[in-house]
Amino acid sequence: MANNTVAGNQQQPQAVTKIGPNAGKHGNNLPLWGNEKTMNLNPMVLTNVLSSPYFKVQLYELKTYHEVVDEIYFKVTHVEPWEKGSRKTAGQTGMCGGVRGVGTGGIVSTAFCLLYKLFTIKMTRKQVMGLITHNDSPYIRALGFMYIRYTQPPADLVDWYDGFMDDEEMPLVQQVNWIMYLSALLVCV
């Protein structure tokens, strides 16, 4: 109490630093929405992540947030769930036509392996903010936003994404897909 008193026993208001949406409610801890084991990932994607030699061997060695961020910087070249050319979708139509990410799997991408690795290290609000405001790579920011999308309560998504819709650094095709995705998401919330 001694730290909060001023002459005349009046309390001086303390500044509250807000990190991320609704930080006042939870401090630096992030609430987890959905399944606490699967991170709400598609079962086929999760199965491929967990059985991936990259996830089981190389990513197992990474123990800290900073090591994982460095790995994202050096290894991620796209944020699609499957490595290009690794899915057999010839002759499939409708929901299994490769458009919606269901049907046959392929080689799971480095990005999704790293996304699940971020989940396993139980990131704090400050660490997630560090990802989405990172200046070195648009892929670090993209994985931060994907982490938010898969783990945070739907009601909080608008607050998290507010101010980030016009990221100029993302490659054009991914930026268009990202804006369309976020726009559709915001309509649903």
Side-chain angles (χ1 to χ4, degrees):
M1 178 139 188
N3 292 342
N4 291 335
T5 59
V6 207
N9 288 335
Q10 296 176 349
Q11 286 192 348
Q12 182 178 21
Q14 294 180 351
V16 177
T17 304
K18 191 173 175 183
I19 301 174
N22 306 319
K25 290 183 192 175
H26 310 285
N28 202 25
N29 296 327
L30 282 173
L32 181 65
W33 179 81
N35 191 308
E36 294 183 10
K37 292 192 183 339
T38 68
M39 197 183 115
N40 305 313
L41 287 173
N42 173 294
M44 185 180 296
V45 172
L46 181 61
T47 299
N48 280 280
V49 166
L50 295 175
S51 62
S52 162
Y54 175 64
F55 182 79
K56 292 192 304 189
V57 178
Q58 284 102 331
L59 294 185
Y60 179 78
E61 299 295 321
L62 305 181
K63 302 298 184 200
T64 69
Y65 163 80
H66 295 289
E67 290 174 328
V68 177
V69 170
D70 286 346
E71 187 77 0
I72 296 167
Y73 180 80
F74 289 111
K75 301 287 184 173
V76 175
T77 59
H78 65 87
V79 293
E80 290 84 14
W82 307 107
E83 289 299 337
K84 292 175 174 123
S86 70
R87 296 190 63 220
K88 306 265 189 289
T89 57
Q92 296 178 352
T93 60
M95 290 291 287
C96 293
V99 176
R100 298 189 56 100
V102 295
T104 61
I107 299 171
V108 72
S109 71
T110 302
F112 270 75
C113 289
L114 284 158
L115 178 64
Y116 194 75
K117 179 63 179 184
L118 289 169
F119 177 71
T120 66
I121 63 173
K122 308 282 189 235
M123 289 197 302
T124 65
R125 187 176 307 276
K126 184 176 178 181
Q127 288 171 329
V128 172
M129 286 300 295
L131 290 177
I132 66 175
T133 59
H134 207 282
N135 292 326
D136 291 344
S137 167
Y139 299 115
I140 294 171
R141 291 194 302 281
L143 262 72
F145 285 114
M146 289 168 62
Y147 182 88
I148 291 167
R149 169 61 183 92
Y150 281 103
T151 66
Q152 295 304 289
D156 292 351
L157 295 180
V158 173
D159 292 334
W160 277 105
Y161 294 155
D162 189 36
F164 291 98
M165 295 291 282
D166 297 321
D167 189 344
E168 298 286 332
E169 191 176 349
M170 256 190 210
L172 184 58
V173 172
Q174 288 183 338
Q175 187 176 11
V176 168
N177 289 337
W178 183 245
I179 290 170
M180 289 172 57
Y181 172 74
L182 288 179
S183 299
L185 219 152
L186 295 176
V187 168
C188 295
V189 172

